[in-house]
Amino acid sequence: MIFKMAVNNVKKSFKDYTIYFLTLTFSVCIFYSFNSIHAQSAVLEVGNSSISYMQTLTNLISIASVFISVILTGLIVYANNFIIKRRTKELGIYMTLGMGKRKMSKIFIYETLIIGGLSLGVGLVLGIIASQVLSVMTANLFALNMTRFKFVLSIDAIIKTIVYFGIAFVIVMGLNQVIISKYKLIDMLNASKKNEDTKVKNPVISVSLFLVSVVLIGLSYNLVLDVGLSTREPLFLLSVVLGILGTGLCFYSLAGFLILMIQKTKKVYLKNLNIFTLRQVNNKINTNFMSISIICLMLFVTIVSLFTMFSYKANLDESIKGNTSFDASAVLYTSQTNEEGDSIEEALDQLDFSFNDSEEYLFFNEYALDLQVADIVSPYIDASNVHELENRADDRNIKVFTLTDYNAAMQLKDEQTVTLRDNELLVATNYGDKIESINRFMENEDAISINNQPYTIKNDDLIMDNIENQPHNTDFFYLVVPDDLSEELTLSGTRVNVDFGDDNREESEAKFAALFDCFNTIGGEFTQEVGFIQGFTREQATAILYGNSAVIIFLGLYVGIVVLISSAAVLGVQQLSEANTSLNRYTTLKKIGVTEKMINRTIFIQTLIAFMFPFVLAVIHSIIGIIVTSDAFATRNKNVIGSSSLMISIVIALIYGGYFYVTYVGYKNIVKNS
Amino acid sequence: MESILNVSKIEKYYGNKGNITKAIDNISFKVNKGEFVGIMGPSGSGKTTLLNCISTIDQVTTGHIIINDKDITDLKSKPLEEFRRDELGFIFQDFNLLDTLTGFENIALALTIQMRKPNEIDELIKSVAATLDISDVLTKYPYQMSGGQKQRVASARAIVTNPSLVLADEPTGALDSKSSRLLLESFEQLNHEQKATILMVTHDAFTACYAQRIIVIKDGKIFNELIRGNSSRKEFFNKIIEVVALLGGDMTNDI
Ligand SMILES: Nc1ncnc2c1ncn2[C@@H]1O[C@H](COP(=O)(O)OP(=O)(O)OP(=O)(O)O)[C@@H](O)[C@H]1O
Ligand SMILES: [Mg+2]
């Protein structure tokens, strides 16, 4: 009987529950899909090298999930409180009808269970769908092949989701009991009558405060644009503090400012329900300015970090190009041999390392010029690009390879060979799209002199392929010179590049990966014997290059989406509470002949403003933030920002827009059914 | 005389089969342009119901209500909303002012929703505020006003649009006798000077005696009709008291 009543209640007030339901469902969906990452690796061709990154990611997500479940529980409690408040009158009526508190508690427990179970179910279904999308993304981020699409279902993640949200529901139920037991009948019956105190502020003070806030924000922008992203710089901290203060002050005074401004433009002020809308917004912002400011700042941090991560990733994709061309490659620098004059070939011999029949390999030499990149391009550096070369590997001597070796390497990866005349050379580098002076150099110079002998640059466009696998220093610059010249050059290292062939790829991969790992781990066992061989298989290089960024992006997305949902949900619940407390006003409006259309319009505008105000300021903050971070991370490819902003905009529009719509409809319903 | 309101044979039932309340049982009457009419009756006699039906907030079960040659019982919801906005003015027992708006804004709202021009709005409000003696409270919020001031602001909101018919349900219900008198005097003034047609529901004899004509209803039917004619207010008041006594004394007055 009580259960039936609870079912009826949920049915009856389902519209009130929408936002609660939506928040729960979203939360469950996100929680499940990110926690099922581990299961997703099962359908991807994850090599050994990527597995460790996957493991790190899984662990980090588990840790983050603890924090996130705390946030989500808070959110659920918040949304639940709104529902209870909305229904205090109903509760009061139950009580006057003689229903005991115990019975009422039971009804609420059942209601929570019904809604919780429902949203858990729907959320899990959505989460399972979303995790399929996520696994495509995982493949993409880790640069893995998805040979066949397979349905991913993680029982572990399902259990975890149920446990975490089960706990959240228990907490909500417990709090409901506390709230119910504390309520007094008289409060319940009068609940809907209470009107929040309307705070009226002196308009002159509002305007001055608003101007101050604009100045503070402006100062903060100025400072941060000057000092950049240097978190230890006191000026940077000052800019953050000013920004936070400015934001808070801005929302504190915004409404008063707007009222004064709009009152001056009578055409807007005295039109339709604008007076009412303005006062509603004023009232709302004044009572909620703190939370609005916090939401604005959270949105700002989310947008900037999502952006930065995506552009970082896109940046990475750019710089990776040409750095994973061989199945395996390794180098033994002359400075790192155990015995002088040892070549990599001899070192491998000493280690009893042998090549299979299916493997093709090429031993070759690397020479160094007594010249650095900076020396070559320095005439083309001007005020606009003085910093270009900073932080680049420009302090090392330029690498040189002979034509024969270069062609052999080209053949190894089945590419066209080239010819050079005696006085010609080739320039290979990926600096071109980040260092403008290189391009100017290429345009203006025909030759580079080596040992006082000019060599004509044969290629018009820069060669963009590296001659080794290089996941760490992805910037490369080398020259290809005629064979004869090698006698005049200093040997800097010996190299081997390998093609695994078609047959035993997996075996070869495992063999080389094991070899390189022995050196890559600190104090690796072979180092003492033969010196330090640095090598990477293609898979290792890819895993290193993509692994870290993938981990960061996943975590960022996870946290970012949760923050977005939380912000939107809080805004939505606030707005619906506002609808509740303003009911009397709408009744009055209806009585004096305001049409339903006009009422819907003012609700739309109010909701839009509630969602847009914090968002717009967050976007403005973010523009500055993105300028600063892309400076810091040296975003070289400007298209990157375009493509990532599209992705982020879609995510934000879906979540934020969804909440906006649900809130608008919910608000309309509350007013309509009053 | 031109009639503004024509109520003909209306009935209003509440409830469903087996449990029907006849809140209005075959009532007909007319109100002419420029009249100040009171409606009296004991509690539960159907006064509010009648007013709600006339004000289009509620719908009659049978019968017709014609305001300004328009049969409002035939109107669809949208023209009904427009009709209410343009032709009627309301004054409620509990003022129904918007707490977030100043006096000026509360009055202005009635005009802005009619899409009046800003200049016009300013002037109309100034003149109505002068008539009702509320020029000083225009910048105040409802919580800063006295009950009487609130009701006068609400009245200003009701008449500023120059409606065909002003409907007031117990306008003095929440006021003390001094404020009541001030409000009623301003009603009288509106009626005389602006030729406003007023239909006022009350169960208080003192309030009622400001009207020119009083329709007394009991159990949903017209019980009596009193016309002031040329008699003084005092005489009219005494006449009302007699009828009230006839009704069974369950009506109060606070003189
Ligand atoms: N919504 C409703 N549903 C059912 N019955 C109603 C409803 N509204 C009013 N009634 C009934 O109709 C009759 C007339 O009610 P009405 O509110 O018009 O009285 P009234 O004359 O305004 O009384 P009072 O002086 O106490 O305000 C009453 O018997 C009342 O119980
Ligand atoms: Mg009544």
Side-chain angles (χ1 to χ4, degrees), chain A residues 195-196 198 200 259 263 266-267 269-276 279-280 282-283 584-598, chain B residues 57 78 81-82 84-85 88 90 92 94 96-102 104-106 108-110 112-116 118-119 121-122 141 143 157:
Chain A
N195 243 342
E196 270 164 46
T198 45
V200 185
I259 286 196
Q263 273 179 344
K266 287 256 162 16
K267 273 210 177 105
Y269 180 55
L270 293 177
K271 202 178 161 209
N272 292 334
L273 282 180
N274 286 358
I275 296 177
F276 174 73
R279 292 294 182 178
Q280 282 289 101
N282 174 43
N283 201 26
N584 294 339
R585 299 175 196 149
Y586 288 99
T587 319
T588 303
L589 286 183
K590 279 185 208 164
K591 279 186 184 164
I592 66 168
V594 176
T595 58
E596 200 176 315
K597 213 172 132 192
M598 275 182 170
Chain B
I57 289 171
K78 209 175 159 240
E81 281 175 333
E82 279 163 15
R84 195 183 308 158
R85 184 187 70 198
L88 301 179
F90 296 92
F92 310 91
D94 47 1
N96 271 317
L97 289 179
L98 291 162
D99 54 351
T100 43
L101 273 57
T102 61
F104 178 89
E105 291 173 336
N106 264 294
L109 211 56
T112 59
I113 59 173
Q114 287 187 347
M115 325 284 176
R116 301 283 188 100
N119 294 341
I121 292 177
D122 260 343
Y141 290 87
Y143 76 94
R157 178 179 66 188

Side-chain angles (χ1 to χ4, degrees), chain A residues 269-498:
Chain A
Y269 180 55
L270 293 177
K271 202 178 161 209
N272 292 334
L273 282 180
N274 286 358
I275 296 177
F276 174 73
T277 312
L278 200 60
R279 292 294 182 178
Q280 282 289 101
V281 170
N282 174 43
N283 201 26
K284 186 198 143 96
I285 299 184
N286 281 349
T287 36
N288 297 323
F289 86 94
M290 270 291 232
S291 54
I292 294 176
S293 310
I294 292 172
I295 286 172
C296 170
L297 292 172
M298 291 209 304
L299 284 174
F300 156 66
V301 172
T302 309
I303 295 174
V304 172
S305 36
L306 282 180
F307 229 109
T308 310
M309 278 175 331
F310 275 105
S311 18
Y312 173 69
K313 151 87 180 141
N315 240 337
L316 204 66
D317 286 352
E318 282 292 302
S319 59
I320 280 165
K321 275 183 198 156
N323 273 312
T324 55
S325 307
F326 299 92
D327 284 340
S329 83
V331 61
L332 176 62
Y333 285 107
T334 48
S335 56
Q336 288 172 329
T337 51
N338 252 9
E339 273 169 55
E340 217 167 310
D342 259 5
S343 73
I344 192 167
E345 193 168 3
E346 288 157 348
L348 290 179
D349 257 355
Q350 275 181 48
L351 294 172
D352 286 333
F353 185 88
S354 58
F355 291 92
N356 296 354
D357 294 341
S358 55
E359 292 162 354
E360 242 182 281
Y361 53 92
L362 162 74
F363 285 106
F364 62 105
N365 292 335
E366 174 184 318
Y367 302 94
L369 290 186
D370 205 12
L371 198 67
Q372 291 162 2
V373 180
D375 298 331
I376 291 184
V377 298
S378 55
Y380 299 95
I381 292 178
D382 60 27
S384 69
N385 53 10
V386 268
H387 298 298
E388 275 186 347
L389 283 174
E390 276 173 23
N391 305 325
R392 304 276 171 199
D394 53 55
D395 53 344
R396 271 173 289 157
N397 292 334
I398 293 174
K399 296 173 183 178
V400 179
F401 299 97
T402 63
L403 181 66
T404 311
D405 287 345
Y406 177 74
N407 278 336
M410 295 302 279
Q411 274 174 332
L412 199 64
K413 52 176 183 175
D414 293 328
E415 277 176 33
Q416 292 263 297
T417 55
V418 288
T419 53
L420 280 183
R421 265 182 261 152
D422 279 351
N423 59 346
E424 284 179 336
L425 55 66
L426 295 170
V427 178
T429 181
N430 62 353
Y431 279 11
D433 48 5
K434 51 203 154 174
I435 299 182
E436 196 42 45
S437 41
I438 292 268
N439 295 329
R440 268 183 255 162
F441 165 80
M442 286 294 283
E443 269 167 39
N444 294 309
E445 298 279 331
D446 306 329
I448 297 176
S449 34
I450 299 175
N451 294 346
N452 297 323
Q453 178 86 30
Y455 286 86
T456 318
I457 302 170
K458 192 192 176 194
N459 53 326
D460 291 331
D461 298 321
L462 294 166
I463 296 170
M464 305 277 281
D465 259 340
N466 205 347
I467 203 162
E468 59 172 338
N469 290 343
Q470 184 47 272
H472 293 310
N473 296 312
T474 50
D475 300 337
F476 58 86
F477 188 105
Y478 65 90
L479 304 177
V480 179
V481 299
D483 292 359
D484 295 344
L485 187 62
S486 67
E487 283 154 28
E488 299 170 35
L489 298 170
T490 11
L491 186 76
S492 59
T494 50
R495 295 185 162 273
V496 63
N497 283 4
V498 188

